[in-house]
Amino acid sequence: MLVNAERWLLAVAPVLLVVSALGRTWTIVTGFGNETIDLYVYWALAPHVLSGDLYEVTSPNSPPDFPLPFTYPPFGALVFLPMTWLPWVAAQWALRLLSALCVYWMVRVALRLVAGEGWTADAALWRRRALLWTAVLLWLQPVVHTFDFGQVNLLLAAVVLGAMTARDSRLAGTGIGLAAGVKLVPAISGLYFLATRRFAAAVWSVVAFAVSVGLGFLVDPAQARHYWFELLGAADRVGPIGTAHNQSLRGALSRTLGYDVEMTWPWVVAVVISLVLAGFALRAAVRAGDVLIGVLVVQVLGLLLSPISWDHHWVWIAPLLIWLVHTRVVPWVRGVLLVLWCPVMFWDLIAFQLDRQPTIWTIPRPGWLSAIGWAYPALALLTLAVIPFLLKAARRGRTESPLADHLEVTGK
């Protein structure tokens, strides 16, 4: 029955993608997404990198209770500069189009990784699946909010995914280093290079990141010093720690305990647990030769550890869902994870919480709201904990199969 349903969906996949794209366009231009307030920060403030006051100004389109400053390194402003040469409406639609293409690109890369040789053996099937997945994932809430706010998460995620799976060490390292130069969180990708012994890629990432920092100092040394030695680590400047938008460990713990935990013992304990779970999951991924889940483990860890991980930063769950559907490991466990992740990712749980809090600046929450506020990080921790068992079961299944025995005997 499921096979027949998939056949029908794949047959109409191009039509479904067109309908999905038109539906998303309609919701954007008729709703909150038409404002793209974060894009306006980049578009309006990036030119200030040339006038020396990048970190002193705020967006003229800020909400009344939330002045929006530029929070990225100086190199990020330099990268955004060409966009500011476009008229505002053109800049909006350029980012939307690029973001949609990045969804498709990420889907294709993820499917190619889970398909392996099947990608070329049955290319038409997998390309149809790419169209179908893109149609579905345009409605994933982190993707929806990325469009609504005019964020660059999909662009950065596409660059990072492409770099981490690139065979050329120079390309891989340079991509990660420059992405980290725009926004610091991609720097955690270096852990994957170290775990897979791609030391050349790790070195290239450090070099590229250093170049990005150097360019910022070259343009304005005082401004760069102000960012790297004074503003770096000032999470409250980025936004309210306790808002439901912040789905990091620090945000979830702060909402539960009623105050900003900062880097005190509750946060340290949560970080240690996350590192242990991610360490086992990454080791299992490397041993299994599963590139996609190895990449995702590192990115999920970065989302957990970052002081602020807005809900729209969690676009990495898109390729995770693809892995859960298509990888050949313990179907019932994957089914449980999908049943848990899908309602959280396709229902606007964040808006549900925001509607029930007096202001985004209030940290204390009623107990049940604090529990719901753990949705993203709790499911991420559960997924990290389960991954080693899934991959171990898959590896055992392969070695115990008659085909595997035949290959081992014949040396093929």
Side-chain angles (χ1 to χ4, degrees):
M1 183 175 179
L2 288 176
V3 173
N4 291 333
E6 185 191 27
R7 285 176 181 169
W8 182 86
L9 289 172
L10 291 177
V12 295
V15 175
L16 292 177
L17 178 56
V18 171
V19 172
S20 179
L22 290 175
R24 285 294 299 117
T25 302
W26 175 256
T27 60
I28 288 171
V29 300
T30 60
F32 173 78
N34 198 38
E35 299 178 18
T36 53
I37 59 174
D38 286 347
L39 175 62
Y40 201 87
V41 174
Y42 315 143
W43 184 80
L45 301 188
H48 288 266
V49 72
L50 303 177
S51 56
D53 60 344
L54 179 63
Y55 300 109
E56 279 70 54
V57 294
T58 57
S59 171
N61 198 33
S62 299
D65 62 339
F66 193 173
L68 296 172
F70 192 87
T71 58
Y72 296 167
F75 179 71
L78 294 174
V79 171
F80 293 138
L81 266 182
M83 177 191 63
T84 67
W85 304 336
L86 297 173
W88 168 236
V89 174
Q92 283 182 297
W93 284 105
L95 179 64
R96 289 164 181 164
L97 178 59
L98 285 173
S99 296
L101 291 174
C102 286
V103 175
Y104 178 67
W105 159 257
M106 292 178 68
V107 167
R108 280 182 63 96
V109 172
L111 287 175
R112 192 163 63 241
L113 290 172
V114 296
E117 295 180 358
W119 179 264
T120 53
D122 200 347
L125 170 66
W126 288 100
R127 286 169 185 156
R128 287 271 177 163
R129 283 174 173 167
L131 297 177
L132 182 59
W133 269 108
T134 304
V136 172
L137 293 175
L138 285 175
W139 298 92
L140 193 81
Q141 285 305 307
V143 173
V144 169
H145 290 170
T146 292
F147 278 96
D148 286 348
F149 285 96
Q151 266 287 345
V152 293
N153 305 307
L154 289 166
L155 275 68
L156 284 175
V159 170
V160 169
L161 181 59
M164 292 183 74
T165 57
R167 295 182 179 180
D168 186 281
S169 295
R170 291 169 297 182
L171 180 61
T174 300
I176 296 302
L178 294 181
V182 173
K183 193 173 185 178
L184 297 177
V185 175
I188 199 168
S189 306
L191 289 178
Y192 183 75
F193 292 149
L194 297 178
T196 54
R197 300 182 179 276
R198 298 191 63 184
F199 301 120
V203 170
W204 274 101
S205 67
V206 172
V207 171
F209 178 71
V211 169
S212 75
V213 174
L215 286 173
F217 275 94
L218 183 64
V219 170
D220 191 324
Q223 192 170 237
R225 281 196 301 270
H226 182 47
Y227 176 84
W228 291 108
F229 297 105
E230 296 178 33
L231 299 181
L232 185 64
D236 56 346
R237 184 175 182 272
V238 178
I241 293 294
T243 178
H245 281 298
N246 183 16
Q247 289 293 308
S248 68
L249 288 172
R250 180 170 166 179
L253 286 167
S254 297
R255 288 188 293 271
T256 299
L257 299 178
Y259 62 92
D260 182 2
V261 298
E262 298 182 351
M263 298 178 70
T264 56
W265 71 265
W267 182 81
V268 172
V269 170
V271 165
V272 170
I273 293 172
S274 302
L275 288 171
V276 171
L277 293 178
F280 282 113
L282 182 56
R283 184 179 68 171
V286 173
R287 287 181 172 179
D290 195 320
V291 174
L292 179 59
I293 199 61
V295 168
L296 297 178
V297 165
V298 173
Q299 299 306 323
V300 167
L301 178 64
L303 292 168
L304 290 170
L305 301 190
S306 177
I308 289 184
S309 292
W310 299 132
D311 55 288
H312 48 72
H313 292 168
W314 289 74
V315 294
W316 287 103
I317 303 305
L320 175 63
L321 295 181
I322 291 174
W323 184 82
L324 287 173
V325 168
H326 291 288
T327 192
R328 296 179 178 179
V329 293
V330 198
W332 75 267
V333 177
R334 291 187 290 118
V336 170
L337 289 176
L338 284 167
V339 167
L340 293 173
W341 271 116
C342 285
V344 171
M345 286 290 110
F346 288 98
W347 177 52
D348 201 344
L349 191 64
I350 305 303
F352 176 83
Q353 297 172 77
L354 293 175
D355 290 342
R356 287 158 180 79
Q357 65 185 38
T359 169
I360 59 175
W361 298 96
T362 300
I363 291 183
R365 300 284 189 276
W368 65 278
L369 275 183
S370 295
I372 294 174
W374 272 93
Y376 288 26
L379 284 178
L381 291 171
L382 175 63
T383 303
L384 291 178
V386 168
I387 284 172
F389 300 100
L390 288 175
L391 294 179
K392 183 178 180 180
R395 193 166 61 249
R396 184 171 60 248
R398 285 196 299 270
T399 57
E400 291 176 356
S401 69
L403 176 60
D405 293 339
H406 170 73
L407 294 178
E408 184 176 352
V409 170
T410 58
K412 293 182 180 179

